[in-house]
Every structure is written in C-alpha cells, then in structure tokens.
C-alpha cells in the first residue's frame, strides 16, 4: 500500500510541475521574427533617365551602367521626367518592387535662377553642370553644389586663413519645374524664377 501511495505522490508532483511549466510558457509573449531578406533596402544613385520611362516607371541607367526600372509609387520627379536628363534618386528595394522615394532632375536644376531681394534688387543663383555654383547680388557666396538625400547642398568657399570647415547650407527642394525653384531652409522659404 505504501508503494502505491508513493507512486501516487510522484505522479501528482509530476502533473503539478507540468501544469506550472505550461502556465509559464503561456505567459511569455510571442515574438515575430522577420527575416532580413524581407526588409527594404534604401539606396541613392546618380544616373540618366532612359527612354523606357513612362508615367509610372522610371527607366534609370546608373553611372555604373546598370539599368533599373523604378516605380514612381505616386512620387513625382522634382524637375520632370525627361529622357536623357541627369537624375539623383533615392529608391527602396523590396522583394516585390523597386520604388522611388525621392527623385530630383539635376538637368532642370542646372540653370541661372533669379529673384527680387528684400531691397528690390535682382539677385541670382547659378548652378552649372560641373557642380559649380555662383551668386550675384546675394548676401552669401556659394562656389559649389550637390544633391544628397534629396536635399540641395550649397557650399560656401573656404576663405584663406579659416581654421574650420567650409560652410554648407542645406535646402529642401519644395518645388522644381522648368521655370521655378522654391527652396526651404528651416522656416526660411526662397522662391526663384528661371532666368535662361
């Protein structure tokens, strides 16, 4: 009889232990594991707009010669989608698609842009194809420009004897068409019209 009671106690202890483990397992939160290959990849590239472009797709020939077909995904190309024009694009790559998040037509940006200053005088900003910038009648001088992460970076010339790095002003391109350019730096908005 004592052997039977001992086995009953052992069996009861095992059942109790098993129930406690199930309770602990039930309380732990479930975690969803996302495989790395499903996460989007964000890229920035410079290239030319190809002749296979359409209203919804950009045929983009990168500087290294690779051709990508990038969905515009509702994104407009700042400065227009013109075959043969230079383009700086930030695009995401997923398993299903390659789609643009920011695209700036550099050829449209490369012109002489003018505006009336606060004093009523005309002032201008010229952006040329070689990345050189010039200013006329403006309170700040710029000597070079580039587009990175969809932003226009204007570099001031480093003066002889300056210890620090050259000043770089960063502008969000709010609007870029064949005849107008609107830039924003913080709360400051500056609108230009194409001179040539």
């Amino acid at each position: 009889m004592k052997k039977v009671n001992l086995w009953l106690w052992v069996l009861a202890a095992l059942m109790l232990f098993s129930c406690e483990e199930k309770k602990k397992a039930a309380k732990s939160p479930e975690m969803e594991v996302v495989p790395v290959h499903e996460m989007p990849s964000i890229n920035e590239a410079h290239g030319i707009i190809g002749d296979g472009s359409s209203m919804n797709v950009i045929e983009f020939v990168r500087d290294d010669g690779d051709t990508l077909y990038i969905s515009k995904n509702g994104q407009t190309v700042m400065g227009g989608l013109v075959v043969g024009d230079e383009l700086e694009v930030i695009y995401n790559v997923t398993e299903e698609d390659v789609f643009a998040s920011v695209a700036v037509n550099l050829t449209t940006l490369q012109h002489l842009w003018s505006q009336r200053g606060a004093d009523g005088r005309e002032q201008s900003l010229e952006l040329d194809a070689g990345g050189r910038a010039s200013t006329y009648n403006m309170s700040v001088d710029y000597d070079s420009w580039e587009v990175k992460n969809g932003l226009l970076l204007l570099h001031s010339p480093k003066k002889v004897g300056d210890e620090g790095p050259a000043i770089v002003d960063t502008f969000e391109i709010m609007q870029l068409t064949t005849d107008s350019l609107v830039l924003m730096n913080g709360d400051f908005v500056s609108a230009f019209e194409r001179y040539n």
Side-chain angles (χ1 to χ4, degrees), residues 132-194:
R132 195 180 61 132
S134 302
T135 56
Y136 308 99
N137 296 326
M138 294 181 74
S139 61
V140 63
D141 288 327
Y142 296 117
D143 66 350
S144 64
W145 69 277
E146 62 183 324
V147 172
K148 291 289 180 196
N149 295 321
L151 301 171
L152 175 62
L153 306 179
L154 293 172
H155 301 262
S156 291
K158 187 169 177 166
K159 295 185 172 68
V160 177
D162 280 353
E163 296 288 325
I167 296 171
V168 179
D169 290 329
T170 304
F171 295 91
E172 184 177 348
I173 302 169
M174 303 301 294
Q175 179 182 10
L176 174 60
T177 66
T178 55
D179 59 359
S180 67
L181 172 65
V182 179
L183 303 174
M184 185 168 80
N185 180 319
D187 292 334
F188 178 72
V189 176
S190 187
F192 294 88
E193 292 181 353
R194 185 171 162 182

Side-chain angles (χ1 to χ4, degrees), residues 6-19:
L6 180 61
W7 282 109
L8 285 174
W9 280 106
V10 171
L11 184 59
L14 287 174
M15 288 175 58
L16 183 62
F17 179 75
S18 175
C19 288

Side-chain angles (χ1 to χ4, degrees), residues 22-86:
K22 285 182 183 176
K23 285 181 186 175
K24 287 181 185 176
K27 289 181 183 178
S28 65
E30 291 185 26
M31 295 177 55
E32 181 181 347
V33 177
V34 178
V36 174
H37 66 277
E38 290 182 12
M39 296 177 69
S41 169
I42 299 173
N43 303 280
E44 182 170 9
H46 176 270
I48 303 295
I49 300 169
D51 60 2
S53 298
S54 67
M55 185 176 8
N56 298 319
V57 176
I58 303 168
E59 181 185 70
F60 180 68
V61 182
R62 294 189 326 196
D63 288 343
D64 63 8
D66 285 349
T67 300
L68 298 173
Y69 292 90
I70 304 173
S71 297
K72 286 170 55 178
N73 197 27
Q75 166 67 30
T76 59
V77 176
M78 300 293 278
L81 188 62
V82 179
V83 173
D85 280 3
E86 270 186 274

